[in-house]
Amino acid sequence: MNLHLLAQEALERCVQLARYSEEVGRLTRTFLSPPMQEVHRALTGWMLELGMTVRTDAVGNLIGHYPAQTPQAPLFLLGSHVDTVRDAGKYDGVLGVTLALALVKGLEGRRLPFALEVIAFSEEEGVRYGVPFLGSKAVAGRFEPSFLGLCDAEGRTVEEAIRAFGLRPDQIPQAAYNPASVKGFLEFHIEQGPVLEALGYPLGIVEAIVGQSRLEVAFRGQAGHAGTTPMHLRRDALAGAAEWMTLVEREAREEPGLVATVGMIKALPGAANVIPGEVQMSLDVRHPYDEVRSLAVANLITRAQQVAQRRGLELGYLTKYEQAAVPCHPGLNDLLAQAVEAQGYPVHRLVSGAGHDAMIMTSLCPSTMLFLRSPGGLSHHPDESVWPEDVEAALRVGLDFLERMAHSV
């Protein structure tokens, strides 16, 4: 098997899937949006060509099954997500799926002591409903019934989106895998950061994934006429929000390893000649150690309360999502390290600052990740890219890893 051509095919498939978007001229594909049907059709065709059977679970995860040597053999899972952020790049998530299919193709029909299942997770980013990992949570048996009531910007609930996609929400519990039948999970993913490129390394083994907190924060004051309300009598919610955002940046810079981001902001009523009466914002806080992250969130909320009190504003906040930091499985990481070294690449272990489906899958089975270098450290951006030689390196390591897994059964 020519792995160079196989790597090229995996990249070309990412480009093809990037055509399926909710927006003209840029890539946006959220949970169970209409373009996801086109993605499923393309992936289904590629899976069937490999002799896989294909199914879609009740939350919209597309799953291809490659049989083992024996019918009752355990499973080993591969995959990543196929939803995107808004105005996304072509490789975040999707490359992990096309690479997994390339691995299956690289086996050239040979069966292993375990079956392979490639999962194209329906949702990881949390763009449409504000809560990430809906797909992998269903697979891991962690999908909460309350998720069905979440609403998107158009007021459509998760339950309605699932039904509109032709699926049945009442069957979501059946999407959960039996932990006793699953040997492990491996996710290929671009690094989305500059570390590997700075080192000159094509690949990296993920030791752990940082914890995350996502909140909604709102400052509420009093809307008023921009020309007739004196400055000393204003209760300007946007001015308060701006002061707090600079504090968020300052506090995060002072704590090693901490990152904090206000990524969305909406000023109401949103007119040029009206003092903003309310501002709604998102807050994303991450750190490798949960206690540091929790203290940082508490401190930032205290700062917001102080700003609001000093300016005569009201503060509201809601925690939308909490995810503890997750270590990857040491045994799988050691097998990956052996495979990386055997294929002639430097072994480098690192911590992921981004969340991934693998952090949810750890609650189901031993899980790990292999990062591919991100040129320019760029991701969540249309110019996101990956080098073909790194994809080929990941394929070589992946096939070696599967061989080592087969001998460990």
Side-chain angles (χ1 to χ4, degrees):
M1 177 66 66
N2 188 322
L3 295 187
H4 175 75
L5 294 178
L6 206 52
Q8 192 61 47
E9 181 179 66
L11 287 171
E12 290 170 355
R13 287 175 169 181
C14 291
V15 174
Q16 178 177 334
L17 295 180
R19 299 175 190 148
Y20 308 136
S21 173
E22 298 168 47
E23 300 181 272
V24 177
R26 66 180 198 167
L27 175 55
T28 299
R29 189 172 58 242
T30 59
F31 174 63
L32 298 189
S33 57
M36 200 67 79
Q37 296 276 17
E38 298 173 281
V39 170
H40 278 201
R41 278 193 287 272
L43 288 172
T44 296
W46 298 333
M47 290 173 173
L48 291 174
E49 288 172 2
L50 295 172
M52 306 176 84
T53 56
V54 186
R55 69 185 190 276
T56 304
D57 69 19
V59 80
N61 297 314
L62 184 75
I63 304 163
H65 179 90
Y66 183 79
Q69 294 168 351
T70 58
Q72 302 305 316
L75 300 171
F76 190 84
L77 309 179
L78 303 159
S80 192
H81 62 98
V82 290
D83 67 315
T84 74
V85 296
R86 300 194 184 282
D87 198 15
K90 301 178 180 69
Y91 306 102
D92 175 9
V94 174
L95 180 61
V97 180
T98 64
L99 252 174
L101 293 179
L103 272 190
V104 174
K105 190 170 185 177
L107 292 173
E108 299 183 291
R110 188 165 59 87
R111 306 301 183 188
L112 301 171
F114 44 82
L116 294 175
E117 292 207 339
V118 176
I119 307 177
F121 291 109
S122 60
E123 203 282 340
E124 186 255 19
E125 298 287 4
V127 171
R128 183 172 181 182
Y129 288 101
V131 175
F133 308 119
L134 296 179
S136 49
K137 284 187 173 179
V139 166
R142 294 173 54 185
F143 190 95
E144 299 174 18
S146 61
F147 292 159
L148 294 174
L150 294 171
C151 289
D152 63 13
E154 283 72 46
R156 175 171 283 191
T157 65
V158 170
E159 181 172 0
E160 290 170 334
I162 290 172
R163 293 190 186 281
F165 205 76
L167 304 170
R168 291 179 50 183
D170 61 297
Q171 293 182 345
I172 290 176
Q174 282 72 57
Y177 281 68
N178 176 4
S181 68
V182 183
K183 288 186 63 63
F185 172 72
L186 169 62
E187 181 173 6
F188 295 95
H189 207 284
I190 58 172
E191 181 196 352
Q192 302 180 279
V195 174
L196 292 174
E197 184 179 35
L199 293 169
Y201 296 165
L203 305 171
I205 299 166
V206 178
E207 294 246 275
I209 303 170
V210 299
Q212 300 181 42
S213 298
R214 292 190 187 183
L215 295 86
E216 290 180 353
V217 179
F219 285 89
R220 301 183 183 94
Q222 178 64 58
H225 197 291
T228 62
T229 308
M231 297 301 291
H232 70 286
L233 295 179
R234 296 186 178 203
R235 296 171 56 218
D236 187 332
L238 184 54
E243 179 182 349
W244 178 67
M245 283 190 289
T246 62
L247 291 172
V248 170
E249 182 184 41
R250 189 183 74 190
E251 299 283 334
R253 284 182 171 180
E254 291 177 354
E255 177 62 53
L258 183 71
V259 290
T261 305
V262 176
M264 294 189 298
I265 182 167
K266 183 178 182 181
L268 301 172
N273 61 347
V274 180
I275 300 163
E278 180 174 350
V279 172
Q280 302 166 354
M281 294 170 289
S282 65
L283 175 65
D284 183 309
V285 182
R286 308 186 190 202
H287 195 275
Y289 296 105
D290 293 330
E291 59 272 22
V292 175
R293 173 176 50 86
S294 297
L295 285 172
V297 170
N299 180 55
L300 292 174
I301 292 300
T302 298
R303 293 291 195 185
Q305 291 168 334
Q306 292 168 347
V307 169
Q309 184 176 23
R310 186 167 60 252
R311 290 178 170 271
L313 306 173
E314 296 177 1
L315 178 75
Y317 63 93
L318 174 67
T319 300
K320 295 284 290 184
Y321 174 72
E322 289 273 3
Q323 173 62 53
V326 174
C328 291
H329 190 267
L332 292 186
N333 277 13
D334 287 344
L335 282 182
L336 263 183
Q338 293 168 24
V340 169
E341 186 173 28
Q343 293 303 313
Y345 303 109
V347 175
H348 181 72
R349 300 174 187 254
L350 72 170
V351 173
S352 172
H356 299 284
D357 289 302
M359 68 194 305
I360 304 301
M361 296 295 284
T362 56
S363 62
L364 170 71
C365 61
S367 300
T368 191
M369 296 189 72
L370 186 68
F371 272 172
L372 287 73
R373 150 174 59 185
S374 291
L378 197 61
S379 184
H380 283 186
H381 188 280
D383 294 335
E384 169 185 282
S385 63
V386 65
W387 288 327
E389 58 265 34
D390 293 353
V391 179
E392 184 176 342
L395 279 173
R396 293 185 183 281
V397 169
L399 287 168
D400 190 311
F401 171 83
L402 289 179
E403 289 292 342
R404 294 173 191 276
M405 283 291 299
H407 287 121
S408 70
V409 173

